[in-house]
Amino acid sequence: MLRCVIFMLIGGLWPFAALAQDLESLRNRAEQDPAALARLQQAASARDAKAAFYLGTLYSPLITRQEHTVVKGWPQTLHWYRQAARLGCARADFDLGLVYEKGLGVAKNTQRAAMYFSQMATIARMETALPSSAGSALGQRTGIHKD
């Protein structure tokens, strides 16, 4: 039973991991390729949180690689990070927390930074929690009981 639950969890998460890898690869190609940049922008405009996050990293003045397709700047970085955060991307919440904590492109605001860090922690807790049915099966198999 436990083995079945583990395979179901891995099988259910595998497409998401592959999609995230594809978006990261698209982000890397977008540094040099305007067509890849357009596809990443299209995905982000279609409310894909991870695509919006990767666009934010592409525009971020702190992340310098070989970008030739965009002009680095905080306004675009913040636009895409905020969109990604609104769509539930914990990594965007974390980066926004750092932005406000350090005053990068915005006025320093520790309260706003704390809010973004709190949102990130909430999303991370939800993303790392086992589904209740899997947790129940695991508890029955190992003797661990939920409170």
Side-chain angles (χ1 to χ4, degrees), residues 19-71:
L19 178 61
Q21 183 67 28
D22 290 345
L23 285 172
E24 186 173 6
S25 175
L26 184 60
R27 183 256 182 246
N28 291 338
R29 286 194 316 274
E31 293 175 356
Q32 305 284 326
D33 180 5
L37 175 62
R39 287 203 334 260
L40 191 59
Q41 289 169 329
Q42 183 179 21
S45 295
R47 302 183 51 82
D48 185 309
K50 289 207 177 4
F53 171 75
Y54 285 124
L55 268 176
T57 67
L58 195 61
Y59 285 98
S60 175
L62 297 179
I63 302 172
T64 56
R65 298 192 348 200
Q66 299 297 319
E67 296 91 343
H68 295 289
T69 56
V70 300
V71 175

Side-chain angles (χ1 to χ4, degrees), residues 14 18 20 50 59 76 104 110 122 129 142:
W14 186 256
K50 289 207 177 4
Y59 285 98
Q76 284 292 353
L104 304 170
T110 56
T122 299
T142 62

Side-chain angles (χ1 to χ4, degrees), residues 27-144:
R27 183 256 182 246
N28 291 338
R29 286 194 316 274
E31 293 175 356
Q32 305 284 326
D33 180 5
L37 175 62
R39 287 203 334 260
L40 191 59
Q41 289 169 329
Q42 183 179 21
S45 295
R47 302 183 51 82
D48 185 309
K50 289 207 177 4
F53 171 75
Y54 285 124
L55 268 176
T57 67
L58 195 61
Y59 285 98
S60 175
L62 297 179
I63 302 172
T64 56
R65 298 192 348 200
Q66 299 297 319
E67 296 91 343
H68 295 289
T69 56
V70 300
V71 175
K72 298 284 196 172
W74 286 113
Q76 284 292 353
T77 301
L78 295 170
H79 167 78
W80 290 114
Y81 278 172
R82 286 180 181 126
Q83 180 171 333
R86 278 192 300 274
L87 295 170
C89 179
R91 292 170 69 185
D93 282 312
F94 179 77
D95 283 2
L96 283 166
L98 290 176
V99 161
Y100 281 98
E101 182 179 71
K102 305 285 184 197
L104 304 170
V106 296
K108 198 174 201 179
N109 185 331
T110 56
Q111 289 175 328
R112 198 158 206 190
M115 179 207 59
Y116 280 114
F117 289 139
S118 177
Q119 283 177 202
M120 182 257 333
T122 299
I123 293 167
R125 277 193 299 276
M126 290 187 310
E127 288 178 351
T128 58
L130 285 174
S132 59
S133 60
S136 297
L138 182 61
Q140 291 170 359
R141 179 86 165 132
T142 62
I144 301 170

